[in-house]
Every structure is written in C-alpha cells, then in structure tokens.
Amino acid sequence: QVTLRESGPALVKPTQTLTLTCNFSGFSLTTPKMCVTWIRQPPGKALEWLARIDWDDDKLYSTALKTRLTISKDTSKNQVVLVMTNLDPADTATYYCARIFSPGSYHIDYWGQGTLVTVSS
Amino acid sequence: SYELTQPPSVSVSPGQPANLTCSGDKLEDKYVCWYQQKPGQSPVLVMYQDNQRPSGIPERFSGSNSGNTATLTISGTQSMDEADYYCQAWDSRTAIFGGGTQLTVL
C-alpha cells in the first residue's frame, strides 16, 4: 500500500526558511523510474508544481521558484525534503508530496493528504 | 513559458455529457493527464497518457488529445462527478498545470 505524508510547520514568518518532509511507504526511491514530486495549492486557487526528485537523484524545479527551492532524498529513511527560502505571504498554501512511477508520461499516481503552511508575521 | 488553459467553469445536467477542455500550443505532442479534486481532498488521477483510465475510475470518463486541445469527457455525468478538474503536462522538464475547471452538475 502506497502512502505519502507531509510534515512541517503550520506557521512561518516572512523571510524565514520552510522545510517540508515527505515520509512515504509502499515503494522505494531506489526503484528505477520512481520519482517524488511537490505541488502546492494556495487557498481557493489552482495547483502549482514545485519540484521533482528521481530515483537517480536527478532534480527538476519550477522555473519561477528554482532559486528558492532545494529538494533532496534520504532513501534509507524513505524521505524527501523540500526547502524553500525567503518565504512570503504569497507562499501560503497546502503543500502536497506525491509519487510518480510512470516512465513516459510521468503522471502522479499517489498524493499525500497535504499540509497547510501559513506565512504570516 | 508553456501554458495550459482551461475554462474556469462548466455546468452540466445530470445524465448529460460533460466536455472539459485543456488548451496549449501543440499539446498533441505531449502526454496529458487529468486530476479530479473535491473540496477538502487531495487530487485524484482520472486520466493519464491522454486517454488511459486508471483502475477504479469509472468507464464514463474518457480522454482525447488532438492539435492544441485535450479533452476529458464524462458521459452520463453524475452528481458525484462535481469537482475541480486539472489538466497537466510536462514541458522542458517542468510540470505544467492548467488553471482548473469547476464542474457543476445541476
């Protein structure tokens, strides 16, 4: 059974750094073609893709946010971490981690429940 | 940068077909997938590789992708299909989401 669970602070002050952790089970990021990705969704707004890390440690980032994002993995702990710097109230959103295991189309087949992060002083 | 455009809202009567569109430049050259999101829930994959239905998704959901437009069709729309729908594709190592369509069944 594949599960993903996001964790991190619920409240962050502007200019601070956000660290989100995705703990997953039911699959391994050492499996060829396996990926974990992060997506966010501001309240009442659309989904926005942030980053992806692949089984071979290839890392992809949103063009708009790449200077502020770092994604990493710890395969021994079944964890993926996303770090976002210089937070702004516009970064207030529900942050999802999700699995991709579909060579070719790279669609998301499993999503976490999401974690709401509010950026406010 | 690449963009996917979806109509903000679509309304359909129960039992009627709903056609949700997603437009992008030469979209037929890319694989498109669709996610359904109900209020307070995480998105759920309802279509991938343009026209492939994941297991557990009802047969009334179908997909196509031609030219600049991908379409998710729900035949015989039911009240349980009321949700936001997002299309998504990859362009130059970047995932792109459409702005989403709110489907209302009334």
Side-chain angles (χ1 to χ4, degrees), chain B residues 41-102:
Chain B
Q41 298 183 18
S42 300
V44 172
L45 179 72
V46 295
M47 197 65 56
Y48 67 96
Q49 280 183 225
D50 299 338
N51 55 17
Q52 301 298 303
R53 227 174 341 100
S55 62
I57 300 303
E59 291 184 7
R60 64 180 180 274
F61 287 84
S62 63
S64 64
N65 185 10
S66 179
N68 295 326
T69 303
T71 303
L72 178 71
T73 299
I74 310 173
S75 62
T77 308
Q78 300 183 10
S79 58
M80 68 175 66
D81 301 327
E82 189 163 282
D84 294 329
Y85 290 83
Y86 295 92
C87 60
Q88 184 251 309
W90 287 88
D91 177 75
S92 300
R93 290 170 55 86
T94 301
I96 310 297
F97 283 96
T101 295
Q102 183 177 57

Side-chain angles (χ1 to χ4, degrees), chain A residues 39 41 45-49 52 58-63 96 100 103-109 111-114, chain B residues 1 31-33 35 37 40-45 47-49 84 86 88 90 92-100:
Chain A
I39 301 101
Q41 185 173 37
K45 296 189 177 181
L47 301 169
E48 178 184 17
W49 178 74
R52 188 184 101 193
D58 192 15
K59 298 167 186 174
L60 290 66
Y61 294 101
S62 159
T63 303
Y96 296 97
I100 294 172
S105 67
Y106 289 94
H107 57 268
I108 295 168
D109 56 358
W111 295 71
Q113 64 185 21
Chain B
S1 63
Y31 279 135
V32 174
C33 59
Y35 303 96
Q37 187 180 33
Q41 298 183 18
S42 300
V44 172
L45 179 72
M47 197 65 56
Y48 67 96
Q49 280 183 225
D84 294 329
Y86 295 92
Q88 184 251 309
W90 287 88
S92 300
R93 290 170 55 86
T94 301
I96 310 297
F97 283 96

Side-chain angles (χ1 to χ4, degrees), chain A residues 32-98:
Chain A
K33 308 303 183 184
M34 195 71 72
C35 318
V36 170
T37 191
W38 285 92
I39 301 101
R40 71 179 180 181
Q41 185 173 37
K45 296 189 177 181
L47 301 169
E48 178 184 17
W49 178 74
L50 300 176
R52 188 184 101 193
I53 190 164
D54 295 357
W55 63 283
D56 60 357
D57 212 37
D58 192 15
K59 298 167 186 174
L60 290 66
Y61 294 101
S62 159
T63 303
L65 295 168
K66 60 183 177 182
T67 61
R68 299 172 53 205
L69 296 174
T70 303
I71 192 170
S72 62
K73 60 181 171 67
D74 186 332
T75 53
S76 65
K77 295 182 179 178
N78 282 352
Q79 276 184 353
V80 170
V81 173
L82 182 73
V83 176
M84 179 182 289
T85 61
N86 194 24
L87 271 282
D88 181 89
D91 296 312
T92 294
T94 295
Y95 287 75
Y96 296 97
C97 68

